[in-house]
Amino acid sequence: MKTIRLNNGVEMPQTGYGVWQITPEACEHFVTEALNAGYRSIDTAQAYYNEEGVGEAVSKCGIPRQELFLTTKVWITNAGEEKAAHSIDESLRKLKTDYIDLLLIHQPFGDYYGTYRAMEKAYKAGKVRAIGLSNFYDARFVDLAENMEVKPAVLQLETHVFSQQVSMRSLIKEYGTQLMAWSPLARGMNGLFTDGTLKAIGAKYGKDNAQVALKFLTEEGIIIIPQSTKKERIISNLNIDDFTLTAADMEALRRLDTGHPLAADFNDPQMAKFLLNYDRQFRPAGK
Ligand SMILES: NC(=O)c1ccc[n+]([C@@H]2O[C@H](COP(=O)([O-])OP(=O)(O)OC[C@H]3O[C@@H](n4cnc5c(N)ncnc54)[C@H](OP(=O)(O)O)[C@@H]3O)[C@@H](O)[C@H]2O)c1
C-alpha cells in the first residue's frame, strides 16, 4: 500500500475506504470486507453515525492498530471548543481506540475556530496524530490556515476526474496541506462509469473506468477514499498498482476537468442551510 507523508511526518495510506451513507448496522460488515481486501485506511465521520461499526470491525480484525489509519470528522453541531473536545472523546470511544489518525473539521460552518482549537489540543495531547479540514475553499481555507498554529495536514474536497481542484491544489501546497479526494468516483455522476475517454484508456491496460479514474488521482499525488458496497468493486478499486498511465493518458484525463465540483457548492447559501439542518433530518433515532 503506497503512503503519503503528511506535513507533520505522519505516513498516510494513499488509498482508503469511505463509509458515508453506510448504515450503522452494515458498517462493521463492509469495513471488515475492506480490511480483508487489503485496505488499511477508513474514512468515517461523526455525522455518518457509523463510527461504532468502524470500531467494531477494527477491534475484531486482528490487524495491529498501528497498521490501521482511522479518519473521522467533527460535525457542525459539535462546533466550538468545549463541544468539539467532548465529541472527540466520544469518537474515540465509538471507534474503540485511544487515538485517531486524522481528524478533520467536516464543514466550514459554525464556530470552526473553536473546533480547530480543540483539535489542536487533542493533537498535542496525543489523542490525534494529524488534523485538517474538509470542504474549506479559497479564502476560508487561507483564513484558518494562516491563523492557526498547527497547519492543516489534509484538506478533503470533492475531487474526481471531472473536478480536479487544480487551483485549490496549488493554494494548499503553500501550507504543506495534502489533498484528499471525497467522491473520487464522482458517485458515478457525469457518466463516469461509461465515459469514453476513461474506457479507451482502460482498454489498453485491462482496467475499468473506475480503476482509471482512481489511478489518475493517485498519479496526481491525491489521497483517495472510494466507497463500494459490492465485494468485487471493493477489491477492484484497490487493484490499481499494476499499471501506469502514460503522459498522453494523463493529458487526456486532465481535459475531462470541468473546473468546478458537481455534488456540492460550499458558497451556495442553500447548501449552508441544508448542512446546518442536516442533523435534524438525518440523525437516526437514538443516536
Ligand atoms: N468530507 C465530505 O464532505 C465527504 C462528502 C462525501 C463523501 N465523503 C467521503 O468520501 C467517500 C467516497 O465518496 P462517495 O461514497 O460519495 O462516492 P464515490 O466513492 O465516488 O462513489 C461511490 C459510488 O460509486 C459506486 N461504485 C464504487 N465503485 C464502483 C465501481 N468500481 N464500478 C461501478 N460503481 C462503483 C458505488 O456503488 P456500489 O456500492 O453499488 O458499488 C457508490 O454508489 C465517502 O464514503 C466518504 O467517506 C466525504
Side-chain angles (χ1 to χ4, degrees):
M1 172 74 67
K2 282 188 189 157
T3 60
I4 297 265
R5 185 177 288 252
L6 303 180
N7 62 6
N8 64 352
V10 165
E11 294 282 340
M12 174 170 182
Q14 191 169 12
T15 303
Y17 179 71
V19 298
W20 181 42
Q21 290 186 327
I22 294 186
T23 62
E25 298 71 33
C27 192
E28 178 182 346
H29 167 75
F30 286 114
V31 172
T32 303
E33 292 274 22
L35 295 173
N36 288 341
Y39 293 78
R40 290 295 177 266
S41 169
I42 306 295
D43 180 81
T44 182
Q46 293 170 353
Y48 299 172
Y49 304 109
N50 58 18
E51 286 173 308
E52 286 107 325
V54 175
E56 285 298 324
V58 301
S59 65
K60 291 178 188 163
C61 69
I63 300 165
R65 174 67 184 89
Q66 66 272 18
E67 290 177 24
L68 300 171
F69 194 100
L70 302 182
T71 299
T72 193
K73 315 180 193 85
V74 178
W75 187 244
I76 302 167
T77 43
N78 293 323
E81 192 163 345
E82 206 173 309
K83 271 194 189 168
H86 176 71
S87 81
I88 294 167
D89 290 338
E90 271 292 284
S91 287
L92 287 166
R93 186 184 63 74
K94 290 177 178 170
L95 291 166
K96 294 191 194 311
T97 183
D98 50 13
Y99 66 89
I100 291 159
D101 293 279
L102 175 63
L103 182 67
L104 307 176
I105 299 183
H106 203 150
Q107 307 290 359
F109 303 116
D111 176 12
Y112 50 76
Y113 265 91
T115 303
Y116 203 83
R117 276 193 293 276
M119 287 164 51
E120 285 184 326
K121 280 190 184 157
Y123 175 66
K124 287 176 186 172
K127 293 180 183 181
V128 177
R129 294 176 68 222
I131 62 176
L133 305 171
S134 169
N135 300 319
F136 281 66
Y137 277 86
D138 305 312
R140 231 178 210 158
F141 172 84
V142 170
D143 182 37
L144 205 137
E146 285 282 340
N147 280 307
M148 300 311 283
E149 182 194 337
V150 180
K151 300 303 166 205
V154 167
L155 174 64
Q156 191 177 115
L157 296 179
E158 180 189 344
T159 309
H160 39 73
V161 285
F162 303 125
S163 177
Q164 299 182 14
Q165 300 290 3
V166 176
S167 68
M168 284 304 294
R169 272 149 73 187
S170 102
L171 176 66
I172 68 177
K173 218 173 172 180
E174 293 175 35
Y175 302 89
T177 306
Q178 167 66 43
L179 181 62
M180 180 174 182
W182 67 251
S183 295
L185 296 170
R187 297 191 78 80
M189 283 178 290
N190 234 17
L192 187 144
F193 299 125
T194 52
D195 179 86
T197 303
L198 291 165
K199 203 163 271 230
I201 292 171
K204 297 194 288 177
Y205 310 111
K207 295 290 174 183
D208 63 26
N209 280 23
Q211 290 169 315
V212 175
L214 295 174
K215 182 72 176 185
F216 171 74
L217 296 176
T218 60
E219 289 287 298
E220 292 284 77
I222 297 167
I223 291 169
I224 56 169
I225 43 169
Q227 184 200 111
S228 177
T229 52
K230 308 286 182 308
K231 187 176 179 176
E232 64 280 9
R233 293 175 180 168
I234 290 174
I235 294 168
S236 67
N237 289 344
L238 195 59
N239 185 15
I240 58 170
D241 285 341
D242 59 350
F243 73 113
T244 311
L245 296 171
T246 63
D249 296 334
M250 291 296 287
E251 265 320 303
L253 293 167
R254 283 191 191 106
R255 284 197 291 273
L256 296 181
D257 191 13
T258 64
H260 56 81
L262 302 182
D265 174 357
F266 287 88
N267 287 319
D268 177 358
Q270 295 312 321
M271 173 59 79
K273 285 183 190 168
F274 169 75
L275 289 170
L276 287 162
N277 289 296
Y278 180 92
D279 222 41
R280 234 173 282 160
Q281 207 179 331
F282 293 104
R283 181 192 281 263
K287 290 278 171 188

